[in-house]
């Protein structure tokens, strides 16, 4: 009888331990209230990042308690044979590479980045734009949708402003039936070779 009591106690302890572990693991996934709080933080971070970009910063990393927002652009080497006034309207005279990402630092982390290049001609028109997404987060399965388009014309022909739109989906591999969604929208400007983060957001 005493032996049966020991077995019951051991089984109960194991069950209780597994339940507590599951609850602890589940708590590492941000809940809806925490996601809303992160978005409030992101709004402030987007404003701060854009202020720095407007002041000429080429690399910006701003962070709060739960999220990080990053943007960087670098001048690419341009062929010395391309000179202002001696090229056609469709020739590239300048190019920059860029990278933007948003990452949560609360609970099981995930990161959504998009990078690429944009180029412009002597008339300030955007002759090219690439956008390559990169999603990471070991506790999630990940998918994305990324597009690029001219805002005021056809990209590669007469657009001077273009938009990169990237939306990520992060689905927890365990414990949570809901997915998290990230959105990054960046506008690039051919005439000034500048950029602006239009949106960085996490949805639940």
């Amino acid at each position: 009888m005493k032996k049966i009591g020991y077995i019951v106690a051991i089984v109960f302890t194991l069950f209780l331990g597994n339940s507590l572990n599951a609850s602890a693991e589940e708590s590492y996934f941000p809940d809806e209230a925490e996601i809303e709080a992160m978005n409030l933080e992101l709004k402030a971070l987007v404003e701060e990042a854009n202020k720095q970009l407007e002041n000429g910063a080429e690399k910006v990393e701003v962070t709060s308690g739960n999220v990080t927002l990053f943007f960087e652009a670098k001048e690419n080497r341009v062929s010395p044979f391309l000179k202002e006034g001696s090229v056609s309207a469709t020739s590239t005279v300048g190019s920059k590479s860029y990278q933007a990402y948003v990452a949560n630092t609360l609970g099981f982390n995930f990161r959504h980045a998009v990078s690429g290049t944009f180029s412009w001609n002597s008339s300030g028109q955007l002759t090219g734009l690439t956008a390559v997404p990169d999603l990471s987060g070991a506790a999630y399965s990940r998918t994305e949708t990324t597009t690029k388009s001219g805002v005021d014309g056809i990209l590669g022909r007469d657009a001077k402003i273009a938009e990169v739109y990237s939306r990520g989906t992060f689905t927890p591999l365990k414990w949570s039936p809901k997915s998290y969604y990230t959105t990054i929208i960046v506008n690039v400007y051919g005439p000034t070779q500048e950029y602006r983060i239009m949106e960085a957001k996490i949805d639940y």
Side-chain angles (χ1 to χ4, degrees):
M1 192 69 180
K2 191 176 287 186
K3 188 175 182 180
I4 293 173
Y6 281 132
I7 292 172
V8 170
I10 290 170
V11 170
F12 179 77
T13 301
L14 290 172
F15 173 78
L16 182 61
N18 287 337
S19 297
L20 290 173
N21 285 338
S23 297
E25 288 168 335
E26 186 172 3
S27 70
Y28 280 96
F29 289 104
D31 60 25
E32 193 166 353
E34 289 169 328
I35 291 295
E36 288 180 4
M38 279 193 269
N39 271 320
L40 289 175
E41 294 173 16
L42 272 173
K43 284 184 180 179
L45 295 184
V46 167
E47 290 180 7
E48 173 59 29
N50 281 326
K51 282 181 183 177
Q52 293 188 34
L53 292 174
E54 288 170 6
N55 289 330
E58 291 288 307
K59 182 177 181 179
V60 174
E61 183 172 11
V62 286
T63 185
S64 66
N66 300 310
V67 284
T68 297
L69 179 64
F70 175 90
F71 188 92
E72 182 177 22
K74 294 180 179 179
E75 199 84 30
N76 294 331
R77 193 172 65 124
V78 179
S79 170
F81 299 105
L82 295 176
K83 295 181 180 179
E84 187 73 21
S86 65
V87 295
S88 67
T90 58
S91 297
T92 296
V93 296
S95 176
K96 280 186 178 181
S97 58
Y98 71 93
Q99 181 189 38
Y101 73 73
V102 60
N104 84 304
T105 53
L106 175 68
F108 287 122
N109 300 163
F110 53 80
R111 178 178 178 269
H112 178 184
V114 61
S115 60
T117 61
F118 64 97
S119 54
W120 59 91
N121 64 15
S122 58
S123 299
Q125 294 163 339
L126 290 165
T127 56
L129 175 64
T130 63
V132 180
D134 180 26
L135 278 61
S136 59
Y140 307 87
S141 63
R142 307 173 294 276
T143 59
E144 55 75 30
T145 300
T146 301
T147 61
K148 54 188 186 297
S149 59
V151 173
D152 58 347
I154 297 174
L155 187 59
R157 196 182 72 185
D158 56 4
K160 293 188 175 184
I161 304 171
E163 181 172 281
V164 173
Y165 169 93
S166 189
R167 183 165 174 83
T169 301
F170 296 82
T171 303
L173 299 176
K174 295 180 181 179
W175 311 299
S176 176
K178 292 188 176 182
S179 297
Y180 301 94
Y181 305 94
T182 51
T183 303
I184 298 175
I185 302 176
V186 175
N187 277 14
V188 297
Y189 302 87
T192 58
Q193 298 90 57
E194 294 175 335
Y195 20 77
R196 183 174 177 84
I197 303 168
M198 306 305 291
E199 187 172 294
K201 190 175 182 181
I202 299 174
D203 299 318
Y204 185 57

